[in-house]
Amino acid sequence: MSGKLMGARVNRKEDPRLVSGYGKYTDDLGEGALHAAFVRSPHAHAKILDIDVDEAVEVADVVAVWTWEDLVGPAAEPLPMLLPHPSIEHPFTAYALAKDEVNHVGEAIAMVVAKDRYIAEDAAQRVQVTYEVLPPVVGIANARDGAHLVHEGAPGNVGAHYVQNVGDAPAAIDAAPHVLEIDLDFERSACMPMEGKAVLATWNDALGELVVNSSTQTSTGLRAALAAKLGMPLEKLHVKVPDVGGGFGVKINHPWPEEVCVAAAAARLQGQVKWIEDRREHFISSAHERGQLQRARVGFDDNGVVQGLDVTFWHDHGAYMPYGVIVPLNTSVQLVGPYKLPNYRVEYWSLYTNTVIVTPYRGAGRPQGVFVMERTMDAIADYLGLDRTEVRLRNFIMPDEMPWEVGLMFQDGRPTVYDSGDFPASMAKVKALVGWDDFAEYRRAAEAEGRKVGLGIGCYVEGTGIGPYEGGHIQVETSGRVNVATGVTTQGQGHQTSFAQIVADELGVPLADVHVTTGDTRRFGYSVGTFASRAAVTSGSAVHLAAKKVKEKALRIAGNALEADPADLEIVDGFIRIKGDPENKMSLGMVSVLSNPLRYAFDETAKAATQFSPAVDLSKPPVAPGDEPGLEGKDFYSPKGATFANGMHAAIVETDPETADIKILRYCVIHDCGTMINPMIVDGQVHGGVAQGVGGALYEKMVYDDSGQLLNASFMDFLMPFATEVPHIETDHLETPSPLNPLGIKGAGEAGTIPASAVIASAIEDAEGFPITKMPISPYDLWELRRKHEAGELPSLRRGQHEDAATPTTDATTDSSMTTDTTPAETNTEES
């Protein structure tokens, strides 16, 4: 490649259209369509005794009212379990419309289709449902207790149970000189895209085809799911993803109940039906994430080197588990981070509760895992009176040890093998960026002013670019326009720019000539989807490989026309020319003309490809055997395993001595996603991720009462950070290319979010001098912790302020969140 665009900070091609109001979202489409509204359960757990739709049917301009009994064939069966896994013991998924019972507030029971949304909503209120209310199971502790069950077929409310081992962690911990136990709590939260779920289904009676526009993260996955549910040939169902107002993981689940119902209604009514999720619906019937209770037991030596780590955690997956166990599985595997853990045991229990389902939210289980590991590293440093960065450095995997086999099975069913990274270099960078070694002086100055400040750090490794594959198709028109199609969907990642950079570099054409289409099954029918920071790695590699095919064909055709060896040709600014003779050239558009033998000449240029052209070789067929007309190419990239991005974050916070208000003064990021296609887009991904990480650390929490009612299901009550709460983010990069793909790239979409809670907890703990074991943390939470600390109910950190503590004492410190074990091994070591 020429290298002119790969790695350049190119302005995003899509932004002028989007920021000037010319974006087209699902709700901008389908003028005149019928509208759907849904009747949803007001109860967290109840049997459905009767549904009376008579009054709703009588409302003027109501076209249809459906309950489960109106669904036909596979549409009436439970929704699919998308990701089977050996750990899943008792799988339950919902029906598109509830059949006999409801298991969370907001579950869809009936659908009303009417002339407009107002009429549909009014009619929905007239549907009368008779319930027998059952005891709800709310919260992990109650689910774990098992006194009441969400599903009779899931004893103990267990959906999945899994254990993975590397070495013998319990034995290594028992033999270690020092042992700590830590209990942690990561509360439930959710993403809030500006656009909720949305679907528009259009039936074409003449063709017998259904076209579905959906705000989804997987066009081909949704297409296949709907075809199966509706009993339609795949060829007769098309999915197109228009502009999407944010995904963040919630839209990777498919099909949603509403997608099945709306698509089925359009087909049966032979018309066009639309449903746009409102904000309350998003709170109570979409998906949440994060909630886990965690327990870690770690053994380590006098230098802070981990000898063994044993982690058990309980994960709340809500009322159903359509997306399997990806979230707890990611937690269990990605918890390891950049550290050598010769002995590691992890066990998880994924539990049913009568709350909204859980699917991945930016980070997808990794923030919880990083929280465990980084809180553990801080606890080791505190116990030994060591600098927190030094403890991490002593446990890092070294660059010359790559590739590093972790010893665990990753979410793609393949071994977890770190492909590249330089963790000590990243640590040096983040320490320099935040001014780690100068912080003690800064703290003293702040204390002289009556201020409390703290410094935190967090490290992570993120599996990205998982398979099974993605593809790309490239076509060069006779005008020189380059059309690129790939199956992944776009929710703000800048694909129209980054993929265009890859193709423009390979084909030697101006960026403006490259036009990218994503998420349209009519343009590209084979794809997996956009999730897990995979699009740049998989689709980026695929379009690169497709561009190489197009380039090879273009040089061959041009070589014949210019009577030159293809090896002696180059492509510059859209022209193929002979090296050393730049005036002897032809445009890529002309090569496209020559690639397609014509009978008819549509313009002057096309004459060169007709059968009476002087350039025709009459001794050969117009299209050579094994060749195809047109200047185009198609290829797929299927990775052997995931690429592993990594990074380190550091933050300085200030906690108000009186109000306990928490303010982030500085936030620094070192990020390694291998070779960067566009550093500006990477920075944007990191900044957006940090913003959501800050939200998850300080604000965003789903609050249920004991009856399963979500108490803060509106933006009046659910807190998110404004621009004023998101700090200026200082970013630097390290590029250790991946050897697993032709571009050397790794994913970047979730990096900013993953360590944020751990980093901010570390900084608050450093400022306050007592352990922080539960996130998110509000000023009220911090005020309560201060009260407990002052009352002697919460221990002080041993290291005191920052890394200035003396040698730790030998007395054991015990509280509900952190315990120091004096093991027989420790006694034996002291005796010897």
Side-chain angles (χ1 to χ4, degrees):
M1 294 193 304
S2 66
K4 292 180 181 178
L5 289 169
M6 188 74 174
R9 301 180 72 88
V10 176
N11 289 334
R12 299 198 338 164
K13 296 181 65 175
E14 49 269 73
D15 284 352
R17 178 177 62 84
L18 294 172
V19 302
S20 58
Y22 288 96
K24 288 292 183 182
Y25 301 86
T26 302
D27 199 25
D28 294 318
L29 309 174
E31 184 177 354
L34 298 173
H35 285 256
F38 288 85
V39 178
R40 300 187 183 277
S41 171
H43 302 292
H45 198 194
K47 290 183 179 179
I48 298 173
L49 303 181
D50 182 63
I51 305 174
D52 185 349
V53 303
D54 290 348
E55 287 189 31
V57 171
E58 293 173 358
V59 174
D61 292 322
V62 167
V63 178
V65 180
W66 286 9
T67 66
W68 174 82
E69 293 179 347
D70 296 289
L71 299 173
V72 177
E77 298 172 359
L79 297 173
M81 165 68 71
L82 292 172
L83 293 162
H85 187 267
S87 71
I88 299 175
E89 298 178 351
H90 308 293
F92 284 90
T93 60
Y95 291 88
L97 294 172
K99 183 183 178 184
D100 298 316
E101 68 176 32
V102 289
N103 286 297
H104 68 86
V105 172
E107 186 167 354
I109 298 172
M111 176 182 68
V112 177
V113 180
K115 180 180 178 181
D116 60 41
R117 181 66 175 262
Y118 302 99
I119 295 171
E121 293 283 2
D122 288 345
Q125 293 182 11
R126 300 192 180 196
V127 175
Q128 302 297 315
V129 185
T130 304
Y131 302 93
E132 177 188 333
V133 178
L134 302 173
V137 178
V138 181
I140 295 174
N142 288 327
R144 190 171 57 185
D145 175 66
H148 299 290
L149 298 180
V150 176
H151 303 285
E152 290 297 326
N157 293 306
V158 175
H161 175 230
Y162 200 46
V163 179
Q164 288 201 76
N165 285 283
V166 178
D168 188 343
I173 295 168
D174 289 342
H178 310 288
V179 178
L180 290 173
E181 287 190 2
I182 307 170
D183 284 328
L184 302 167
D185 186 343
F186 213 117
E187 296 202 49
R188 176 179 276 235
S189 183
C191 63
M192 291 292 150
M194 289 189 290
E195 177 199 36
K197 303 197 300 291
V199 57
L200 169 69
T202 304
W203 177 259
N204 185 320
D205 195 43
L207 299 177
E209 291 185 347
L210 185 67
V211 177
V212 177
N213 287 269
S214 179
S215 183
T216 181
Q217 290 177 228
T218 172
S219 58
T220 54
L222 179 59
R223 179 196 191 196
L226 289 179
K229 281 294 178 187
L230 302 183
M232 290 185 62
L234 199 63
E235 187 64 26
K236 292 293 185 179
L237 198 154
H238 309 288
V239 173
K240 179 177 174 58
V241 180
D243 291 324
V244 175
F248 309 120
V250 67
K251 296 177 183 178
I252 190 57
N253 187 59
H254 63 281
W256 284 99
E258 298 87 356
E259 290 171 324
V260 173
C261 291
V262 169
R268 192 180 307 179
L269 298 174
Q270 297 185 358
Q272 192 173 49
V273 183
K274 178 195 288 190
W275 172 75
I276 306 298
E277 181 181 67
D278 65 34
R279 187 54 58 183
R280 177 166 173 79
E281 284 181 305
H282 185 78
F283 272 101
I284 66 171
S285 64
S286 192
H288 299 167
E289 219 244 70
R290 298 290 193 260
Q292 289 182 3
L293 293 178
Q294 306 163 325
R295 176 168 297 156
R297 188 167 185 258
V298 61
F300 52 97
D301 66 18
D302 294 342
N303 294 315
V305 176
V306 174
Q307 306 297 298
L309 177 65
D310 193 342
V311 176
T312 302
F313 66 91
W314 297 263
H315 172 74
D316 177 357
H317 64 239
Y320 306 104
M321 49 190 316
Y323 210 73
V325 292
I326 289 300
V327 173
L329 186 61
N330 275 348
T331 299
S332 66
V333 176
Q334 300 274 258
L335 183 152
V336 173
Y339 307 110
K340 298 178 187 177
L341 295 183
N343 299 286
Y344 173 57
R345 178 185 183 275
V346 62
E347 178 177 19
Y348 68 69
W349 304 81
S350 194
L351 304 175
Y352 288 104
T353 61
N354 289 118
T355 57
V356 174
I357 67 169
V358 164
T359 65
Y361 165 29
R362 197 173 195 170
R366 299 174 185 89
Q368 300 95 306
V370 171
F371 190 64
V372 175
M373 193 72 250
E374 295 304 295
R375 294 283 67 217
T376 299
M377 284 294 170
D378 277 4
I380 293 171
D382 174 57
Y383 180 83
L384 295 175
L386 295 172
D387 184 287
R388 288 168 288 169
T389 63
E390 184 59 33
V391 169
R392 287 166 169 83
L393 284 165
R394 293 176 184 180
N395 285 280
F396 276 163
I397 300 160
M398 293 294 111
D400 60 3
E401 295 176 300
M402 298 290 181
W404 178 265
E405 295 185 11
V406 176
L408 302 169
M409 197 63 65
F410 197 50
Q411 62 156 301
D412 59 357
R414 293 170 177 266
T416 303
V417 181
Y418 294 171
D419 50 326
S420 67
D422 189 338
F423 307 137
S426 292
M427 178 63 78
K429 274 180 166 286
V430 78
K431 288 181 67 175
L433 187 60
V434 78
W436 184 273
D437 294 333
D438 300 324
F439 184 74
E441 182 179 345
Y442 175 81
R443 186 201 301 277
R444 285 191 289 270
E447 288 174 342
E449 299 170 354
R451 298 164 54 221
K452 298 181 71 171
V453 294
L455 174 60
I457 192 166
C459 310
Y460 70 94
V461 173
E462 176 197 1
T464 73
I466 59 173
Y469 68 89
E470 286 297 341
H473 177 266
I474 296 172
Q475 176 198 50
V476 181
E477 295 185 8
T478 58
S479 64
R481 174 188 169 106
V482 179
N483 299 316
V484 180
T486 183
V488 296
T489 59
T490 296
Q491 303 93 42
Q493 295 91 342
H495 293 158
Q496 279 77 15
T497 305
S498 56
F499 293 163
Q501 287 179 256
I502 294 170
V503 173
D505 255 4
E506 186 63 40
L507 294 184
V509 299
L511 186 68
D513 289 350
V514 183
H515 303 268
V516 178
T517 297
T518 61
D520 186 341
T521 60
R522 291 170 297 188
R523 292 288 305 277
F524 205 92
Y526 290 93
S527 176
V528 181
T530 301
F531 58 94
S533 301
R534 67 184 298 274
V537 177
T538 54
S539 279
S541 295
V543 299
H544 166 74
L545 294 173
K548 289 179 74 69
K549 285 188 173 181
V550 172
K551 181 179 181 179
E552 180 183 359
K553 184 172 184 178
L555 294 178
R556 173 169 53 82
I557 294 171
N560 290 334
L562 296 173
E563 298 181 344
D565 188 330
D568 295 329
L569 301 178
E570 61 183 357
I571 310 178
V572 179
D573 293 331
F575 286 87
I576 301 180
R577 66 189 191 187
I578 298 176
K579 298 174 184 176
D581 185 9
E583 297 305 315
N584 195 352
K585 63 183 180 180
M586 65 190 311
S587 70
L588 200 60
M590 177 55 72
V591 175
S592 176
V593 171
L594 298 178
S595 72
N596 181 27
L598 297 173
R599 179 173 179 82
Y600 307 107
F602 304 107
D603 54 29
E604 288 299 314
T605 305
K607 289 181 180 179
T610 60
Q611 60 264 41
F612 294 108
S613 167
V616 172
D617 186 346
L618 299 179
S619 67
K620 298 178 182 178
V623 178
D627 207 350
E628 295 180 354
L631 185 54
E632 54 187 280
K634 181 179 180 180
D635 211 337
F636 290 85
Y637 171 72
S638 182
K640 291 186 292 184
T643 59
F644 286 85
N646 66 84
M648 297 177 194
H649 295 197
I652 298 174
V653 304
E654 181 173 352
T655 58
D656 190 283
E658 296 183 359
T659 67
D661 187 48
I662 303 163
K663 183 177 181 181
I664 302 173
L665 302 180
R666 291 184 65 196
Y667 200 100
C668 300
V669 175
I670 301 298
H671 183 243
D672 178 1
C673 60
T675 304
M676 289 186 285
I677 303 170
N678 186 326
M680 183 183 298
I681 289 179
V682 174
D683 284 348
Q685 289 288 304
V686 170
H687 293 176
V690 169
Q692 286 186 301
V694 168
L698 300 178
Y699 304 101
E700 299 170 5
K701 178 169 64 174
M702 292 295 181
V703 181
Y704 280 93
D705 67 12
D706 292 339
S707 68
Q709 296 292 332
L710 184 59
L711 300 181
N712 59 338
S714 76
F715 284 164
M716 290 291 291
D717 302 301
F718 179 79
L719 298 181
M720 294 185 295
F722 295 162
T724 50
E725 279 73 54
V726 178
H728 171 68
I729 301 161
E730 303 167 58
T731 308
D732 195 5
H733 298 277
L734 186 70
E735 295 183 73
T736 58
S738 172
L740 301 182
N741 62 75
L743 298 172
I745 56 181
K746 311 174 192 176
E750 298 167 275
T753 304
I754 291 170
S757 286
V759 172
I760 292 171
S762 177
I764 295 171
E765 180 175 283
D766 188 49
E768 296 291 328
F770 51 74
I772 302 297
T773 59
K774 183 176 181 179
M775 296 299 272
I777 184 170
S778 68
Y780 174 79
D781 296 328
L782 182 56
W783 190 89
E784 277 291 304
L785 290 174
R786 285 177 177 176
R787 184 189 62 77
K788 290 181 179 180
H789 182 243
E790 291 168 0
E793 301 172 18
L794 196 64
S796 297
L797 296 183
R798 295 180 173 216
R799 69 174 177 265
Q801 295 294 310
H802 193 39
E803 324 302 327
D804 303 329
T807 303
T809 59
T810 56
D811 62 307
T813 302
T814 305
D815 88 300
S816 60
S817 62
M818 194 171 299
T819 305
T820 305
D821 288 351
T822 304
T823 65
E826 181 175 351
T827 303
N828 292 337
T829 300
E830 291 172 348
E831 287 176 351
S832 63

